[in-house]
């Protein structure tokens, strides 16, 4: 009987922190690049400050995966490219948050068991 | 500083530059303006981070490095691709069901629920075939 330690496909691996934060930032409303940088800093309580190189590297891949869409936001004074989550992106975010929730639950249970 | 930034952007593949360069410059300028207001130290840190980020970003764009998920850990036993795919479909159907319930679309949720049961059974049979335990 062979035991699989871990699924090794892409889906089973956690998202990188920048990607998770980008998806989280876009979960409530579309944002343009600078707004994403600021919101990610706020979401992470100042811990994560993405460079534009990191941000756009992640955005490019998310566009390729069709987890986000790019569009021109009309209600700004300057024409700005903005990004919004697609349905697929929202599902991926839900999957990742669910994975984290399960891990947190399991970890907390172990901690409580060791304290008992 | 924008000139150095523009120069470093030439390190990226042409298609990447066509798609993002002007937007990246705009965002860099906005962020630089804000950081300048936080003093010299904050601005210097920002510039350093930006330059390093661009160089690493350019290297990643050429090498096809995936920023979405970290590299797979080495030394982990591999899983047959058909099982990987079957598991992915089960996960997708669960995600679909959760999403449908969240949006009160119970007809769709039922559809995903039936699909998930069938896919899970298929996954179980595949695992059995390969002698893999859960």
């Amino acid at each position: 009987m062979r035991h699989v330690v871990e699924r090794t496909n892409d889906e089973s691996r956690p998202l990188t922190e920048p990607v998770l934060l980008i998806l989280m930032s876009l979960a409530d409303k579309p944002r343009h690049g600078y707004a994403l940088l600021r919101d990610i800093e706020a979401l992470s309580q100042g811990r994560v400050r993405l460079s534009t190189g990191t941000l756009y590297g992640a955005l490019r891949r998310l566009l390729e995966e069709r987890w986000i869409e790019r569009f021109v936001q009309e209600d700004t004074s300057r024409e700005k490219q903005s990004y919004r989550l697609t349905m697929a992106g929202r599902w991926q975010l839900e999957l990742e948050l669910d994975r984290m929730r399960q891990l947190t639950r399991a970890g907390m249970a172990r901690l409580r068991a060791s304290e008992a | 500083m924008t000139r150095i930034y523009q120069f470093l952007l030439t390190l990226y593949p042409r298609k990447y530059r066509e798609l993002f360069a002007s937007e990246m410059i705009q965002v860099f300028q906005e962020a630089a303006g804000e950081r300048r207001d936080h003093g010299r130290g904050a601005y210097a840190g920002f510039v350093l981070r930006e330059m390093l980020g661009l160089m690493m970003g350019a290297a990643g764009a050429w090498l096809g490095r995936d920023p979405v998920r970290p590299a797979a850990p080495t030394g982990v036993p591999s899983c047959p691709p058909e099982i990987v795919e079957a598991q992915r479909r089960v996960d997708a159907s669960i995600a679909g069901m959760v999403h449908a319930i969240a949006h009160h679309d119970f007809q769709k949720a039922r559809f995903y629920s039936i699909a998930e049961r069938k896919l899970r059974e298929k996954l179980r049979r595949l695992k059995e075939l390969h002698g893999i335990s859960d």
Side-chain angles (χ1 to χ4, degrees):
Chain A
M1 186 65 81
R2 194 151 53 95
H3 289 266
V4 174
V5 174
E6 189 177 325
R7 282 184 286 142
T8 57
N9 65 326
D10 273 357
E11 308 294 325
S12 70
R13 296 208 305 274
L15 301 178
T16 59
E17 191 172 37
V19 163
L20 174 62
L21 287 166
I22 290 169
L23 295 180
M24 281 168 61
S25 178
L26 296 177
D28 63 340
K29 62 177 185 182
R31 291 178 207 274
H32 54 79
Y34 182 56
L36 271 169
L37 287 182
R38 295 204 63 170
D39 190 49
I40 285 167
E41 193 175 336
L43 268 174
S44 64
Q45 297 177 327
R47 190 174 52 81
V48 178
R49 283 184 190 160
L50 295 186
S51 71
T52 50
T54 304
L55 174 69
Y56 281 90
L59 288 177
R60 180 184 63 91
R61 279 290 288 124
L62 293 175
L63 286 167
E64 280 175 6
E65 294 282 344
R66 296 179 195 276
W67 292 3
I68 61 171
E69 289 171 338
R70 195 177 191 223
F71 68 104
V72 177
Q73 202 154 24
E74 289 164 358
D75 60 343
T76 51
S77 53
R78 274 193 293 175
E79 192 181 271
K80 274 182 176 174
Q81 294 286 347
S82 290
Y83 299 88
R84 63 179 159 224
L85 271 191
T86 62
M87 193 76 94
R90 192 167 289 277
W91 287 1
Q92 288 294 335
L93 177 60
E94 282 173 10
L95 276 180
E96 183 66 6
L97 294 177
D98 191 47
R99 189 189 67 79
M100 294 170 83
R101 204 164 23 238
Q102 284 173 4
L103 274 179
T104 306
R105 212 180 292 139
M108 293 306 289
R110 288 289 167 95
L111 277 177
R112 276 196 295 270
S114 73
E115 286 162 4
Chain B
M1 200 49 73
T2 304
R3 277 191 190 168
I4 299 172
Y5 189 90
Q6 281 172 317
F7 169 74
L8 288 173
L9 275 175
T10 62
L11 300 173
Y12 278 83
R14 190 168 55 85
K15 275 190 176 177
Y16 190 108
R17 288 201 310 269
E18 284 170 0
L19 197 58
F20 292 120
S22 61
E23 196 182 328
M24 286 173 78
I25 292 167
Q26 194 180 328
V27 173
F28 170 76
Q29 287 174 331
E30 280 182 83
E34 187 222 324
R35 287 293 157 196
R36 246 185 238 116
D37 296 341
H38 286 79
R40 276 189 184 179
Y43 183 64
F46 163 79
V47 168
L48 186 65
R49 195 171 59 245
E50 279 297 319
M51 300 309 154
L52 284 173
L54 273 191
M55 285 188 273
M56 291 179 66
W62 282 107
L63 297 171
R65 198 175 54 220
D66 189 357
V68 174
R69 297 181 198 273
T74 53
V76 174
S78 63
C79 194
E82 60 267 44
I83 292 183
V84 169
E85 176 60 17
Q87 182 68 57
R88 191 189 67 74
R89 287 178 183 208
V90 169
D91 291 346
S93 63
I94 292 170
M97 189 164 59
V98 168
H99 190 266
I101 291 169
H103 288 79
H104 304 281
D105 190 346
F106 297 110
Q107 198 176 352
K108 204 182 239 181
R110 188 171 155 70
F111 164 80
Y112 280 118
S113 167
I114 294 167
E116 191 262 345
R117 270 206 303 274
K118 287 179 184 170
L119 289 166
R120 195 175 285 284
E121 176 56 21
K122 187 182 173 190
L123 175 64
R124 191 192 62 75
R125 284 202 305 270
L126 275 171
K127 282 184 171 177
E128 205 173 79
L129 194 69
H130 286 273
I132 292 172
S133 64
D134 282 316

